Structures are given as structure tokens and as C-alpha cells.
Amino acid sequence: MDVIISNASGTPIYEQIVAQLKAMILEGELKEGEALPSMRMLAQQLRISVITTKRAYEELERQGFIESYTGKGSFVKAQNAELLREEHLRQIEATLEEICIKAKQYGLELEELQELTAMIYGGNTK
């Protein structure tokens, strides 16, 4: 499991960890029941504070992506299909929002954007 952090990024380190681990879970790279590195081990690997990794793990647990057991560690939680769908929809909405902003900046009409989207999507209306 490779987590890469950037000190130059404007994003807090714990948020970088959360985003990367969440992406690995959503993409199936980390499977249900799989153990995550201990907070201490991840902190050593990334050369950051244990407090930072603890905060990241707590956030992942709060969002329903992992579950932690005292003395045993943290594990990828069985994903609720609806939770996965909602997360995927949230990501798509964020991307579409960016696209719509650019389309408006370039003077593209809604109908043109819809036609372009349908063409790229393959003409499927489902």
C-alpha cells in the first residue's frame, strides 16, 4: 500500500491520507476485512506524527470506510452498496460541476453540453 503525501500541497496531510485510502477502498485495491498498517507504522513510513495518522483513521472510521478494534488494529469495513454509490455520485457531481463551470466560461449552451455528453457516453440514455 503506497500512500504519498506532499508537504507542498495546500491540503492537510491527514486529508491526503484519507483521500488516498478511501480511493484504494472504492477502487477495490483494499479489500473488505484487509488490515491497514498500524497508526504507528504508517506514521513511521510517512515520517509524520502518529496524531496525524490517528486523525486520518478516525475520519475514515467516521465516514464508514474502516473499523478499528483496540489491540487488533484497523480493517477495511464491508462496504454498504448504497454508501459506495453515494460516494461515486459525489465524485461524479464534483467533476460535472467543474465541467459546467468551464462550459459556461467558454459560452457552451446547455443543449450543446448535453449533446457532447451523450456522444462521449456512447449515446446511451440509461
Side-chain angles (χ1 to χ4, degrees):
M1 180 178 81
D2 291 324
V3 175
I4 301 166
I5 58 169
S6 169
N7 292 324
S9 169
T11 306
I13 292 172
Y14 87 94
E15 286 182 11
Q16 293 177 48
I17 295 168
V18 168
Q20 290 179 53
L21 291 178
K22 192 160 56 167
M24 289 179 203
I25 293 168
L26 290 171
E27 292 167 9
E29 189 177 327
L30 291 174
K31 308 278 187 225
E32 174 185 332
E34 189 170 337
L36 297 176
S38 71
M39 291 178 214
R40 189 176 316 272
M41 185 185 303
L42 185 60
Q44 287 174 343
Q45 288 173 352
L46 299 176
R47 296 185 178 147
I48 58 173
S49 165
V50 174
I51 294 169
T52 303
T53 56
K54 183 177 189 297
R55 186 170 180 191
Y57 278 27
E58 286 173 346
E59 181 62 22
L60 286 165
E61 191 164 13
R62 189 187 67 71
Q63 291 181 20
F65 287 93
I66 68 170
E67 46 196 358
S68 299
Y69 302 98
T70 305
K72 290 186 177 183
S74 298
F75 301 85
V76 176
K77 189 172 182 179
Q79 295 302 301
N80 176 322
E82 191 60 33
L83 174 68
L84 284 175
R85 179 169 168 70
E86 281 300 314
E87 182 61 27
H88 289 142
L89 284 174
R90 190 190 65 69
Q91 291 175 0
I92 290 168
E93 286 173 5
T95 302
L96 282 172
E97 185 175 0
E98 291 176 28
I99 290 168
C100 288
I101 289 169
K102 282 191 189 254
K104 288 178 184 177
Q105 288 173 344
Y106 298 147
L108 200 65
E109 296 294 325
L110 176 59
E111 293 78 22
E112 294 173 296
L113 181 59
Q114 289 172 328
E115 287 175 25
L116 183 59
T117 303
M119 186 174 66
I120 291 170
Y121 197 76
N124 296 334
T125 55
K126 289 186 180 182

